Amino acid sequence: MIQTQISKTLSIGDGCPLTLIGGPCVIESGDFTLKMAEEIAKVCDRLGVSFIFKSSFDKANRTSINSFRGQPIESGLKILQRVKEEVGVPVLTDIHESHQAATVAEVVDVLQIPAFLCRQTDLLLAAAATGKVVNVKKGQFLAPWDMRQVVRKLEAAGTKRILLTERGTSFGYNTLVVDFRSLPQMRSLGYPVVFDATHSVQMPGGQGDKSGGQRQFVPYLARAAAAIGIDALFMEIHEDPDNAPSDGPNMIPLAQLETVLRQIINVRNCLEVTPALV
């Protein structure tokens, strides 16, 4: 059985409900972050979808030196702790450097390894050593079967609490494309697969000093992934994406979340086996 336990009450994988990993790209403020977590949780509760709140305390790989990065680690973690305590959901955030792993793991339930850093051995080992679930975004430059070596690094560090996320592959300048064969191919490595529907429509560096995106295609890609078979769906969500300080062009509006999730649930329910056979 392919399954990863996130908390005492939430697991991702065979026999489990769909999980949404979602939230604003970056932590903007405490009150805004809490509000978004509460609103997304309400939608998930209505639909019977498990929910892990996602927001990055720091976006260390922004296109421009002048781009908004988020919060210092101490204040960012305090905000995520508020989400855990007041909304009552697990939380996920990125780490970019090995020394961050142990500190961040004191608060979050899932440590996320950004796609650009998925082959950084010391970062992977530090994340695994915390005992927390590690979600690794497949690099835009990797074939899905190359993630086997990432898995081996994590396993060598003593963990099998792993999630693998597809988020598109580089396809010429400023463009990503999704090869949906990657979902069953990565799942064959023995761990649940996540589809990142919002970063898959990102256009890295597409606006010169920042990335662009085509959020209108998020529902299409999400439905396609659900039809193939996924254990969890990753989407960045914002109440006003056009004015968001990070990744606005590819985040979906909060007002559209329930409709998009209903479509995905309907598609997923059509599968005889959930998720896909491997």
Side-chain angles (χ1 to χ4, degrees), residues 246-265:
S246 176
D247 275 9
N250 50 268
M251 284 195 284
I252 70 162
L254 175 63
Q256 296 179 14
L257 176 62
E258 186 159 353
T259 298
V260 172
L261 284 180
R262 285 188 184 277
Q263 294 172 347
I264 292 159
I265 291 168

Side-chain angles (χ1 to χ4, degrees), residues 210-273:
K210 58 185 176 180
S211 293
Q214 297 175 310
R215 79 170 75 100
Q216 69 269 28
F217 294 118
V218 169
Y220 297 98
L221 295 186
R223 293 198 298 267
I228 291 166
I230 54 175
D231 300 289
L233 177 69
F234 182 109
M235 291 196 298
E236 290 187 334
I237 304 152
H238 198 282
E239 68 175 9
D240 185 12
D242 288 335
N243 291 299
S246 176
D247 275 9
N250 50 268
M251 284 195 284
I252 70 162
L254 175 63
Q256 296 179 14
L257 176 62
E258 186 159 353
T259 298
V260 172
L261 284 180
R262 285 188 184 277
Q263 294 172 347
I264 292 159
I265 291 168
N266 289 338
V267 172
R268 193 171 187 262
N269 287 342
C270 291
L271 299 180
E272 293 183 8
V273 177

Side-chain angles (χ1 to χ4, degrees), residues 56-84:
S56 301
F57 66 86
D58 179 27
K59 300 298 291 185
N61 56 352
R62 297 301 307 275
T63 302
S64 169
I65 189 66
N66 297 315
S67 295
F68 178 74
R69 287 182 54 167
Q71 308 293 329
I73 188 169
E74 297 84 1
S75 54
L77 291 178
K78 286 180 180 178
I79 292 170
L80 292 173
Q81 184 68 47
R82 282 188 66 194
V83 171
K84 286 188 68 170

Side-chain angles (χ1 to χ4, degrees), residues 89-124:
V89 295
V91 296
L92 172 154
T93 199
D94 302 284
I95 57 172
H96 295 86
E97 300 181 57
S98 302
H99 68 80
Q100 296 174 336
T103 300
V104 175
E106 293 178 4
V107 173
V108 308
D109 301 274
V110 184
L111 296 172
Q112 182 163 277
I113 308 299
F116 285 124
L117 302 176
C118 70
R119 289 181 56 173
Q120 294 295 102
T121 302
D122 289 343
L123 183 61
L124 292 167

Side-chain angles (χ1 to χ4, degrees), residues 49 60 131 169 187 191 193:
V49 171
T169 301
R187 201 170 193 271
Y191 295 98
V193 291

Side-chain angles (χ1 to χ4, degrees), residues 175-194:
T175 307
L176 299 172
V177 68
V178 177
D179 179 354
F180 285 102
R181 294 175 298 177
S182 69
L183 295 170
Q185 286 169 338
M186 287 202 295
R187 201 170 193 271
S188 71
L189 301 178
Y191 295 98
V193 291
V194 182

